[in-house]
Amino acid sequence: MSSPAVRVRSQAAFETRTLLGNGEQLLVSLILPAMALIGLAVSSTPDLGPGRRIDIVVPSVLALAVVSTAFTGQAIATGFDRRYGVLRLLGVTPLGRSGLLAGKALAVLVVVVLQTILLSVLGALFGWQPNLGGILVGALLMLLGTWTWVAIALLLAGVLRAEAVLAVANLLWVIFAAAGGLLYPTAKLPGMVGDVVRLLPSGALGDGLRDALTGHEGSLLLPILVLLLWGLAATALTATFFRWDDK
Amino acid sequence: MSWAAPEAAITCVLGPNGAGKTTVMEMAEGLRRPDSGVVRVLGTDPWRADADHRRRVGVMLQDGGLPGSVKPLRLLEHIAALYGTPGELPSLVDQLGIDDFRHTSLRRLSGGQRQRVALAAALVGRPEVVFLDEPSAGLDPHARLDVWDLVRSTRDRGCCVVVTTHSFDEAQRLADRVIIVASGAVVADGTVAEVGGATGLEDSYFALTRAPKASR
């Protein structure tokens, strides 16, 4: 007889192994962020603003990796689980629907921790020196960002058909990476665009992690508030509109 | 539509496509909320059921519900862990011949092989009630006999087994009780002999479910 916590842990372990064994998932969670890190570290364009370049690049790539795993990877995986009836099957086991979603979220968190460690080590090889005082608040931002982006992923996966989820999740990843404040600071975007992007969960996560890990913790209230509001809104919308099958 | 399935018996539900078989099964499985009427499984409303209820119920879905990238044993071990019944797995794997394709991911299995994994997933929790949606569809004749033996032995240990099927052969060989549904209503309910009468199950079925073409 297993308890709810044991079942959720079991589901998280099952999901984590499935995620780590999936080549496309590894590509989007680890290999593409690592390539972005190396590419931005060895080049001098685009201009990322004042300060040591690598100290701006690594938090930016960590933000991108959170969105890769929590949003793009999870939206696609859940969209196809829904298509193939996996959500229905596991939802009627003792795990239940809430346990299934909790297991998925926990698995994403485990992968985010693993990719953060690996990308941080890679960053350190390129000379990254994070502001140690900002690590705790950086971890809080990543936790908030993971929750928010998983909620957005589940909303997408629970409403659209699997093929549409695949297309939208990949397209948004490219847009957010390039112009959503993940890899490129919102302050460097043109006027109004920067102001809008700052209020998106991508801009908030990117700016927040850059500020925290480069020693500008004073300006972190806005990113934290933005992520919190998006997280609450996406969670409420997911709870209302998520459908367990796509018939 | 009103019917009940007794314990320690196999109840086969037959009916044309669109008759409402899968809809009723999904309501009993807790996958669909009824618009009206009452569904009870083991005395519980399945839509609001808790983990203790779900632990007593096994489900084999028509679309399988199997994740493509996973290998059969890993999925079944995981589901057995969720039910807290890992001891059930070896004999099921043996009876259903799953060992033969244990190293192949579910997406690469044939329809019949996936069908056997889905059946094992429904039974691995040693349920008191099990819902099987077309359990032998797509199976070769040998595998079908193995599946029928397993369904009978599940009944013999006291389980309430509910099977939807389009196969008269399956219903005749398995059913302790047959329910025929058409256009959302029960049109026959009894043993195979009672429902089949003098003409047999197949003829009864066609007589009871044939709608005028204009109204189809």
Side-chain angles (χ1 to χ4, degrees):
Chain A
M1 181 101 27
S2 55
S3 71
V6 169
R7 290 193 291 268
V8 169
R9 271 211 306 276
S10 176
Q11 181 64 26
F14 179 76
E15 295 264 351
T16 304
R17 278 184 64 181
T18 307
L19 292 177
L20 294 178
N22 181 321
E24 292 138 10
Q25 188 77 44
L26 284 180
L27 183 74
V28 77
S29 289
L30 199 59
I31 296 174
L32 292 179
M35 286 170 66
L37 193 157
I38 294 167
L40 287 169
V42 300
S43 69
S44 54
T45 53
D47 176 23
L48 297 175
R52 292 177 73 228
R53 187 174 174 83
I54 188 67
D55 290 347
I56 301 169
V57 166
V58 176
S60 304
V61 168
L62 293 180
L64 174 72
V66 167
V67 174
S68 298
T69 301
F71 174 66
T72 304
Q74 198 48 227
I76 294 169
T78 306
F80 280 94
D81 275 358
R82 177 168 165 256
R83 149 68 55 83
Y84 295 124
V86 180
L87 299 183
R88 286 150 48 86
L89 184 74
L90 290 174
V92 296
T93 67
L95 178 68
R97 295 166 179 182
S98 51
L100 174 56
L101 294 187
K104 281 184 173 292
L106 194 58
V108 168
L109 207 55
V110 170
V111 176
V112 166
V113 168
L114 290 176
Q115 73 190 13
T116 300
I117 292 169
L118 290 172
L119 291 169
S120 297
V121 169
L122 183 62
L125 294 177
F126 281 92
W128 180 43
Q129 292 170 352
N131 160 44
L132 296 178
I135 284 183
L136 262 184
V137 73
L140 171 73
L141 280 160
M142 292 187 85
L143 196 65
L144 267 176
T146 301
W147 163 52
T148 301
W149 282 103
V150 165
I152 298 171
L154 293 180
L155 179 62
L156 203 65
V159 173
L160 301 180
R161 294 181 68 81
E163 290 79 4
V165 174
L166 183 67
V168 171
N170 279 319
L171 181 67
L172 288 180
W173 184 84
V174 173
I175 292 172
F176 285 133
L182 288 173
L183 289 180
Y184 198 57
T186 61
K188 304 291 289 179
L189 294 169
M192 278 275 289
V193 178
D195 291 339
V196 172
V197 170
R198 214 161 288 143
L199 300 177
L200 297 177
S202 53
L205 183 62
D207 279 358
L209 280 177
R210 278 183 289 270
D211 286 346
L213 296 172
T214 54
H216 297 92
E217 295 101 317
S219 52
L220 285 172
L221 191 61
L222 180 69
I224 288 174
L225 264 179
V226 168
L227 284 174
L228 202 59
L229 288 175
W230 275 94
L232 287 171
T235 303
L237 288 171
T238 301
T240 309
F241 294 110
F242 191 91
R243 293 199 45 206
W244 294 85
D245 60 56
D246 67 351
K247 288 178 185 171
Chain B
M1 182 184 298
S2 181
W3 53 274
E7 61 184 328
I10 300 169
T11 303
C12 283
V13 183
L14 289 144
N17 291 331
K21 300 187 299 294
T22 299
T23 304
V24 168
M25 290 285 267
E26 286 182 346
M27 289 191 286
E29 290 158 359
L31 287 167
R32 186 189 282 258
R33 193 206 309 245
D35 296 327
S36 62
V38 178
V39 180
R40 291 287 179 271
V41 175
L42 296 167
T44 297
D45 174 359
W47 181 255
R48 299 176 192 286
D50 59 10
D52 285 333
H53 172 83
R54 290 193 300 270
R55 194 192 310 279
R56 301 167 69 193
V57 178
V59 172
M60 177 186 182
L61 299 173
Q62 202 173 44
D63 53 16
L66 308 176
S69 59
V70 177
K71 289 179 180 158
L73 279 191
R74 197 156 82 74
L75 175 71
L76 293 173
E77 281 164 2
H78 176 51
I79 294 178
L82 295 177
Y83 278 92
T85 53
E88 290 294 303
L89 192 52
S91 66
L92 271 177
V93 166
D94 182 46
Q95 275 178 279
L96 290 168
I98 292 173
D99 250 338
D100 298 346
F101 47 84
R102 60 185 296 175
H103 296 301
T104 311
S105 63
L106 287 159
R107 115 163 27 95
R108 294 184 201 285
L109 297 183
S110 71
Q113 290 170 326
R114 273 202 299 272
Q115 193 82 342
R116 283 185 263 170
V117 177
L119 180 61
L123 296 177
V124 76
R126 203 172 168 79
E128 294 169 46
V129 177
V130 65
F131 296 100
L132 307 176
D133 211 345
E134 301 189 31
S136 65
L139 294 182
D140 65 48
H142 290 288
R144 186 171 299 152
L145 286 182
D146 291 341
V147 164
W148 287 340
D149 281 345
L150 184 58
V151 172
R152 284 192 203 97
S153 66
T154 302
R155 181 260 326 266
D156 293 344
R157 67 163 173 77
C159 185
C160 166
V161 183
V162 181
V163 176
T164 62
T165 182
H166 285 295
S167 161
F168 301 112
D169 188 28
E170 183 162 70
Q172 270 160 340
R173 284 166 181 262
L174 279 186
D176 299 302
R177 183 142 170 264
V178 173
I179 291 167
I180 299 179
V181 296
S183 305
V186 174
V187 294
D189 183 348
T191 63
V192 172
E194 287 164 356
V195 172
T199 56
L201 185 60
E202 193 166 340
D203 285 349
S204 287
Y205 174 90
F206 285 120
L208 289 164
T209 59
R210 177 161 291 144
K213 279 193 176 157
S215 68
R216 275 185 190 175

